[in-house]
């Protein structure tokens, strides 16, 4: 009902604008093409409605389409849930265990992360999905995963229809060379197709078959990844945090034992944290049930330790030696830079000669980092970070990272 009221009354027009993006346009186009072609192929050439099997097949195709679109639009418009702007914990003492978001002007609740695309702190954020043009998080995780399950099932059904349509219509026109395979085609010849199976019909069916098979494989793989995440009650971001926690403990030989706090020890209990009969998760997105040996801020404390460790170990200072306009695939920075551009929606940052960059990661041809800002820009709460070509910067021969870290501590 929440989805229907939002969609029908258009209370939030900015949510409806999510449809105006390449992700939803492509996703909905694939759904429309596969569904339409499967229904047309069934009715016109393969399995007419005047038979019991044809009627059941038609109902199943409509059912797949409705369920897929229902879960898709719910995943998009219900959304993941956002931390209120300016949020603070009830106990002010707990603020020392939380990260502060300068964009949202509030603290990040446990399991929440700031999404640069949505420009909000998202509850239990897993990732930002371009196909729904929204984040996958607390409130829409079940809808998103259901969509990932239903889409391959519906496309598999459609693919069978496409294959059988082409086979039955081309059976007497093309010699398949299957001398040992005998398929009874008498049932197919019992009805006359509404129209001949022309070359355009064959091309459209073949194209739809390619889309259906590709969707089944690609989305099916995403479904198994999400199920693995759900059964461990661990988002993709939290899996990365856990890996970095083990790396930090091993690097410094601290002897700590990191226990992931949200794994309840049972796959069924973890599963029920996402899927409920009502479709709405039980938790409020702020407080979570945790492992007996952990508390609400076990993971946030680990994140703060990793953030401090990142400043010490990861950040290397670079000076910009070539201007860069922020293009995704710059033609003037070399062929390798052009063809090896990072396949991500993370932003590119324009550079001017003389700028200082604190790089945190990179590839052979690209780097990712934060631009060192002036005091006025820092007071405005701005933060400029993203990808840039490696050839545009040179590593500084003087070490001012320590001074920069010291000034950060003074500001904090």
């Amino acid at each position: 009902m929440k989805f229907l009221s939002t969609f029908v009354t258009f209370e939030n027009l900015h949510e409806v604008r999510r449809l105006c993006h390449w992700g939803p346009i492509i996703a909905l186009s694939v759904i429309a093409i596969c569904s339409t072609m499967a229904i047309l192929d069934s009715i016109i050439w393969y399995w007419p409605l005047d038979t019991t099997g044809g009627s059941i097949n038609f109902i199943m195709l409509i059912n797949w389409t409705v369920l897929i679109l229902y879960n898709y639009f719910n995943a998009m418009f219900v959304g993941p849930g956002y931390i209120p702007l300016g949020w603070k914990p009830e106990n002010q003492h707990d603020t020392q265990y939380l990260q502060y978001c300068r964009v949202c002007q509030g603290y990040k609740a446990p399991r929440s992360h700031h999404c640069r695309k949505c420009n909000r702190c998202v509850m239990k954020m897993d990732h930002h999905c371009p196909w729904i043009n929204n984040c996958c998080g607390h409130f829409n995780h079940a809808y998103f995963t259901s969509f990932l399950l239903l889409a391959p099932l519906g496309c598999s059904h459609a693919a069978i229809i496409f294959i059988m349509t082409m086979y039955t219509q081309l059976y007497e026109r093309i010699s398949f060379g299957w001398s040992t395979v005998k398929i009874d085609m008498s049932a197919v010849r019992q009805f006359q197709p509404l129209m001949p199976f022309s070359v355009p019909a064959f091309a459209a069916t073949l194209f739809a078959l390619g889309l259906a098979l590709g969707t089944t494989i690609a989305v099916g793989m995403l479904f198994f990844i999400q199920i693995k995440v759900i059964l461990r009650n661990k988002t993709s971001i939290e899996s990365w945090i856990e890996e970095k926690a083990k790396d930090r403990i091993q690097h410094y030989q601290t002897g700590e034992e990191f226990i992931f706090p949200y794994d309840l020890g049972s796959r069924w209990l973890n599963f029920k944290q996402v899927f409920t009969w009502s479709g709405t998760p039980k938790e409020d997105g702020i407080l979570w049930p945790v492992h007996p040996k952990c508390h609400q801020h076990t993971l946030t404390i680990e994140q703060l330790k990793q953030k401090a460790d990142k400043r010490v170990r990861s950040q290397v200072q670079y000076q910009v030696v070539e201007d860069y306009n922020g293009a995704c695939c710059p033609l003037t920075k070399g062929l390798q830079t052009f063809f090896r551009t990072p396949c991500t929606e993370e932003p590119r940052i324009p550079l001017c000669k003389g700028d200082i960059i604190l790089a945190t990661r990179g590839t052979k041809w690209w780097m990712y980092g934060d631009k060192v800002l002036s005091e006025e820009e820092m007071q405005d709460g701005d933060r400029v970070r993203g990808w840039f070509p490696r050839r545009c910067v040179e590593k500084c021969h003087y070490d001012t990272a320590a001074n920069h870290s010291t000034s950060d501590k003074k500001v904090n």
Side-chain angles (χ1 to χ4, degrees):
M1 293 301 294
K2 180 179 178 182
F3 155 69
L4 290 176
S5 63
T6 303
F7 187 75
V8 174
T9 62
F10 296 98
E11 291 177 354
N12 299 316
L13 288 177
H14 68 278
E15 290 296 327
V16 180
R17 291 175 192 158
R18 291 187 184 278
L19 291 168
C20 302
H21 181 265
W22 63 265
I25 291 174
I26 293 177
L28 292 173
S29 298
V30 171
I31 295 172
I33 292 172
C34 291
S35 300
T36 303
M37 286 304 303
I39 292 172
L40 291 177
D41 281 6
S42 296
I43 296 175
I44 299 175
W45 294 296
Y46 178 59
W47 217 342
L49 293 177
D50 56 1
T51 63
T52 302
S55 299
I56 295 174
N57 175 65
F58 177 78
I59 292 172
M60 287 183 64
L61 289 173
I62 295 296
N63 182 61
W64 288 128
T65 304
V66 171
L67 289 176
I68 289 170
L69 290 176
Y70 173 80
N71 285 280
Y72 179 83
F73 284 125
N74 270 288
M76 179 185 292
F77 292 120
V78 170
Y82 303 107
I83 302 298
L85 296 174
W87 180 84
K88 295 181 181 179
E90 294 182 2
N91 185 355
Q92 293 299 314
H93 178 73
D94 292 340
T95 57
Q96 64 180 316
Y97 307 127
L98 302 172
Q99 297 184 70
Y100 185 79
C101 179
R102 290 182 292 180
V103 178
C104 298
Q105 296 295 305
Y107 288 90
K108 298 179 182 179
R111 309 194 79 177
S112 68
H113 302 274
H114 186 84
C115 174
R116 290 190 297 272
K117 292 291 182 181
C118 299
N119 204 34
R120 289 290 298 274
C121 287
V122 177
M123 294 178 177
K124 204 189 82 171
M125 178 179 175
D126 185 85
H127 67 288
H128 184 91
C129 178
W131 304 110
I132 62 173
N133 194 22
N134 206 341
C135 279
C136 174
H138 181 49
F139 287 111
N140 65 351
H141 203 171
Y143 292 120
F144 181 76
T145 307
S146 298
F147 166 73
L148 295 183
L149 170 64
L150 292 167
L153 292 178
C155 286
S156 297
H157 184 184
I160 294 173
I161 297 297
F162 299 145
I163 292 173
M164 293 306 298
T165 299
M166 289 188 292
Y167 180 81
T168 55
Q169 294 303 310
L170 301 178
Y171 182 80
E172 295 180 345
R173 305 184 197 181
I174 301 176
S175 174
F176 289 92
W178 295 347
S179 57
T180 59
V181 179
K182 301 296 183 182
I183 300 178
D184 184 12
M185 302 297 292
S186 58
V188 178
R189 298 190 186 96
Q190 290 178 0
F191 75 97
Q192 185 68 26
L194 298 179
M195 63 178 66
F197 192 67
S198 60
V199 173
F202 171 76
T205 302
L206 188 62
F207 177 71
L209 174 62
L211 290 179
L213 293 177
T215 301
T216 301
I217 296 172
V219 180
M221 291 175 62
L222 294 177
F223 169 73
F224 284 110
I225 292 173
Q226 283 300 312
I227 280 294
K228 184 178 179 181
V229 163
I230 290 172
L231 293 179
R232 296 179 178 180
N233 201 12
K234 186 186 305 179
T235 66
S236 302
I237 296 176
E238 289 167 349
S239 298
W240 177 237
I241 293 173
E242 185 180 33
E243 289 184 17
K244 291 193 293 183
K246 295 176 181 178
D247 177 70
R248 181 185 63 81
I249 293 171
Q250 183 179 9
H251 179 79
Y252 290 105
Q253 297 293 316
T254 60
E256 301 174 61
E257 180 187 8
F258 178 76
I259 300 175
F260 183 73
Y262 306 115
D263 188 347
L264 303 182
S266 166
R267 292 185 176 182
W268 176 241
L269 292 177
N270 291 339
F271 182 82
K272 290 196 297 183
Q273 287 290 302
V274 176
F275 290 94
T276 61
W277 287 111
S278 64
T280 303
K282 296 179 180 178
E283 312 305 328
D284 61 359
I286 303 293
L287 299 176
W288 306 91
V290 296
H291 189 278
K293 294 184 180 180
C294 303
H295 55 82
Q296 287 293 323
H297 300 106
T298 298
L299 192 67
T300 59
I301 292 173
E302 175 59 33
Q303 288 177 265
L304 291 172
K305 290 180 180 179
Q306 292 180 12
K307 192 173 183 179
D309 181 46
K310 182 180 179 180
R311 291 174 180 170
V312 175
R313 284 205 292 163
S314 300
Q315 290 188 342
V316 181
Q317 201 167 49
Y318 288 81
Q319 185 172 15
V320 178
V321 295
E322 287 185 27
D323 292 341
Y324 167 56
N325 61 4
C328 180
C329 300
L331 291 170
T332 59
K333 303 302 178 184
L335 290 177
Q336 293 288 357
T337 302
F338 177 83
F339 288 110
R340 301 292 182 88
T341 183
C343 297
T344 173
E345 285 198 341
E346 290 176 313
R348 275 65 169 169
I349 55 173
L351 303 176
C352 295
K353 191 178 296 185
D355 288 344
I356 301 298
I357 306 292
L358 291 175
T360 56
R361 53 192 166 102
T363 64
K364 186 176 180 180
W365 306 102
W366 288 80
M367 299 188 72
Y368 186 92
D370 290 76
K371 184 184 291 187
V372 177
L373 304 176
S374 64
E375 294 183 2
E376 294 180 357
E377 292 173 322
M378 293 181 65
Q379 289 176 357
D380 293 337
D382 295 331
R383 185 178 183 183
V384 181
R385 61 176 176 176
W387 292 93
F388 52 90
R390 182 180 285 269
R391 62 173 286 175
C392 293
V393 297
E394 286 183 356
K395 189 173 182 180
C396 292
H397 298 293
Y398 53 90
D399 185 11
T400 59
N403 296 335
H404 182 74
S405 299
T406 303
S407 63
D408 282 348
K409 292 178 181 178
K410 291 180 181 179
V411 171
N412 294 333

